[in-house]
Amino acid sequence: MTIVNETVQGAQRSALVVGATGIAGSALVDTLTNSGWKVLALSRRPGPERDGVRWLSADLTSTTSVATALAPERPTHVFFTAWSRQNSEEENIAVNAGMVRSLLAGLRGKPVEHVALMTGLKHYLGPFEAYAAGEMADTPFHEEEPRLPVRNFYYAQEDELFASAAEQGFSWSVHRAHTVIGHAVGNAMNMGLTLAAQAALCKETGESFVFPGSEMQWNGLTDMTDSGLLAEQMIWASTTPAAANEAFNIVNGDVFRWRWMWPKIAAHFGMEWEGYQQAPRPLEQAMSGREDQWRELASRHGLAEPSLDKLASWWHTDADLGRNIEVVADMSKSRVAGFTGYRRTYDAFISLFERYRAEKLIP
């Protein structure tokens, strides 16, 4: 674990975490409070009460709502992890860049020193509707690669950040994560909980744990991002002068093949498994119509969440595991700058599953 500089802890520094109930936001709240920061946690709906955290509610698509929520606050460090999925990339740009713009407008006149923005590897792959469709850089992806010649809401968010930093005088960092696994419920992109829900449903009916993705993903190398590690890098960049005004990839540091990982996850759940066989077997089809099964399973096991659609994001896991290209990211840039955080992805999965089990989200 990369240690946060002790000189930035304490009452003189406060963090605003935007999207604080999501996978990345929840990990930031945990890591910051454990390091002694005062935390303002911004979301549509407040999360659980805890020492050192004060919840703010705002609609990020409304400049007025954001300005009202932030009017009395004076954060020094800002961590933006929110996003809203739209039906087209133009809508993604309008809504998601607009949220960054509204947030930064609400921070004018505040003592903000640094703003960290979470994006992802669609910076290199392109947006969902043109995903991996054009010519891309070779893997592993490096931060200095030029932008793709397509419209992308990540680029639009960065442009809002750069413009506000130049106007308001704060430093910035951008954090490009691969598939993020971590603790959150109701998140739109949550492979960890999605695979746990798949395993629980299939185990109840005696089905095998079936890999839903492509032959390339089954056999090729890949990597992932643990949300706790992402939080560590965002805090490190916000408090390290050498990391200011830079974009960084953030992945665990190991690589693996799903043909190695899938049997291990199946073994953890005590299940038979099936790998890639001739064609992908997407979860959106295989898990369709399972809501009543989950509701009955949740009742029988006393689970905390009876609604399957708040746990599983089949579409997102299908998109990640269905890719026909290798996707890995280079971590050299932040390593050279001094960030030493690391996770073993298998351990990250298992600890996550155990946490979900302890919290009665899966049987």
Side-chain angles (χ1 to χ4, degrees):
M1 179 175 181
T2 299
I3 303 299
V4 178
N5 187 337
E6 292 184 1
T7 64
V8 304
Q9 299 177 15
Q12 77 275 21
R13 301 267 177 120
S14 62
L16 171 64
V17 178
V18 183
T21 57
I23 292 178
S26 296
L28 275 160
V29 171
D30 286 346
T31 306
L32 287 161
T33 53
N34 289 342
S35 298
W37 289 65
K38 291 184 176 180
V39 176
L40 299 169
L42 179 64
S43 64
R44 278 182 176 269
R45 291 170 293 278
E49 293 298 320
R50 60 185 294 175
D51 291 342
V53 177
R54 188 152 55 81
W55 288 91
L56 307 177
S57 294
D59 176 1
L60 287 171
T61 65
S62 166
T63 302
T64 301
S65 176
V66 173
T68 300
L70 293 180
E73 311 300 343
R74 294 179 64 78
T76 59
H77 293 70
V78 179
F79 303 90
F80 193 98
T81 68
W83 87 293
S84 177
R85 185 189 183 196
Q86 304 299 310
N87 291 325
S88 71
E89 192 59 18
E90 286 304 315
E91 293 173 277
N92 275 326
I93 290 169
V95 172
N96 289 283
M99 293 195 301
V100 174
R101 185 166 57 251
S102 294
L103 187 280
L104 296 176
L107 292 170
R108 286 195 182 97
K110 312 288 186 183
V112 175
E113 299 174 19
H114 188 94
V115 178
L117 172 67
M118 173 193 172
T119 63
L121 295 197
K122 287 190 293 296
H123 183 95
Y124 310 107
L125 292 163
F128 283 123
E129 62 191 47
Y131 195 60
E135 185 174 344
M136 296 173 297
D138 284 339
T139 54
F141 295 130
H142 300 85
E143 293 92 341
E144 63 269 21
E145 298 296 344
R147 291 179 175 183
L148 298 175
V150 294
R151 299 268 285 165
N152 189 321
F153 83 84
Y154 285 164
Y155 303 162
Q157 287 183 312
E158 286 183 342
D159 289 341
E160 295 290 344
L161 176 64
F162 301 157
S164 291
E167 174 194 344
Q168 298 177 46
F170 55 77
S171 62
W172 57 265
S173 57
V174 175
H175 303 266
R176 298 171 186 162
H178 196 175
T179 303
V180 180
I181 57 172
H183 183 272
V185 177
N187 189 270
M189 299 191 295
N190 194 340
M191 181 185 285
L193 191 49
T194 297
L195 295 183
Q198 176 195 0
L201 288 165
C202 292
K203 190 170 184 178
E204 285 286 311
T205 56
E207 300 170 64
S208 294
F209 187 52
V210 174
F211 179 75
S214 68
E215 183 176 14
M216 170 63 80
Q217 291 304 304
W218 180 249
N219 290 317
L221 287 172
T222 192
D223 54 21
M224 296 184 74
T225 305
D226 177 81
S227 62
L229 187 69
L230 169 61
E232 288 175 24
Q233 193 198 58
M234 293 180 80
I235 298 167
W236 164 81
S238 77
T239 58
T240 302
N245 304 325
E246 298 286 352
F248 297 104
N249 293 331
I250 175 62
V251 287
N252 288 342
D254 67 344
V255 294
F256 65 93
R257 302 180 200 275
W258 280 107
R259 71 187 188 203
W260 177 87
M261 183 71 77
W262 199 258
K264 293 186 179 301
I265 293 176
H268 175 76
F269 288 111
M271 303 179 65
E272 298 295 321
W273 59 273
E274 293 181 17
Y276 175 83
Q277 293 181 3
Q278 298 181 322
R281 291 176 279 181
L283 292 172
E284 275 202 296
Q285 284 74 53
M287 298 290 113
S288 177
R290 304 266 188 147
E291 291 78 11
D292 289 342
Q293 181 193 349
W294 182 267
R295 198 171 293 110
E296 191 275 331
L297 182 154
S299 176
R300 183 152 34 86
H301 290 277
L303 301 185
E305 181 51 71
S307 178
L308 182 59
D309 64 4
K310 292 183 179 179
L311 302 176
S313 45
W314 310 123
W315 70 273
H316 177 257
T317 297
D318 283 341
D320 265 11
L321 298 184
R323 294 179 295 206
N324 287 311
I325 57 170
E326 177 185 78
V327 179
V328 289
D330 180 75
M331 278 285 288
S332 298
K333 184 177 179 181
S334 62
R335 296 279 190 254
V336 169
F339 181 72
T340 59
Y342 182 89
R343 294 290 191 279
R344 184 176 183 240
T345 302
Y346 170 76
D347 294 337
F349 267 123
I350 299 307
S351 63
L352 179 61
F353 296 149
E354 289 304 303
R355 182 175 178 183
Y356 281 134
R357 183 171 284 123
E359 295 183 4
K360 301 294 287 183
L361 287 166
I362 60 173

